[in-house]
Amino acid sequence: MLIASRDQLWDTPPQAAEALLLEAWPGPVSIILPSSRAPFWIRRDNASVAYRLPAHRQLQRLIRDTGSLIAPSANPEGQPPAMTIAKARDYFGDAVDFYVDGGAVENPTPSRLIKMSDDGHTEFLR
């Protein structure tokens, strides 16, 4: 889920996550948090939701205007990140409802993915 602010989180993060959220957001970090309040179609069978608060100001404005957005990673698993909107369209085609062209990506480093448990355990997935 792309969010524009912490107000768009479904659940309250575990207290142990607070320092991590302040350090990581906004930025290229998706944090998986336990969730019991998000609709089933968002959390599926794993009772958690991956959230990302992007640093891009125009994207934050869009998300504020639309509400949180379900969005894929910039690449299918095992593929390099899409560095341009054209490459993202090559990867996802019509499976994505709309694309936001922010220009060519300057930093090819994939985003970090961090999973937090209810008890505060942190797992760095990438």
Side-chain angles (χ1 to χ4, degrees):
M1 297 294 301
L2 292 178
I3 59 173
S5 70
R6 290 183 48 172
D7 296 341
Q8 293 179 325
L9 294 171
W10 288 99
D11 295 275
T12 303
Q15 184 63 36
E18 290 301 320
L20 179 62
L21 294 176
L22 288 172
E23 177 187 328
W25 285 347
V29 178
S30 294
I31 300 178
I32 302 170
L33 296 173
S35 180
S36 61
R37 295 181 54 208
F40 178 78
W41 52 270
I42 291 176
R43 57 185 163 81
R44 298 178 290 179
D45 293 328
N46 59 19
S48 63
V49 176
Y51 294 97
R52 183 167 178 176
L53 198 162
H56 194 275
R57 297 286 182 212
Q58 290 174 316
L59 184 53
Q60 285 180 8
R61 262 185 260 130
L62 173 69
I63 298 166
R64 247 189 307 282
D65 290 346
T66 62
S68 57
L69 296 171
I70 298 173
S73 295
N75 57 299
E77 189 171 344
Q79 297 293 318
M83 301 301 287
T84 64
I85 196 79
K87 187 62 177 177
R89 285 190 174 116
D90 285 346
Y91 280 154
F92 301 108
D94 293 337
V96 172
D97 292 327
F98 68 93
Y99 294 84
V100 175
D101 190 349
V105 176
E106 296 175 14
N107 182 353
T109 306
S111 63
R112 293 187 337 195
L113 183 60
I114 302 169
K115 185 174 185 176
M116 297 286 302
S117 64
D118 280 324
D119 65 4
H121 177 74
T122 303
E123 183 178 357
F124 294 85
L125 302 175
R126 69 165 190 241

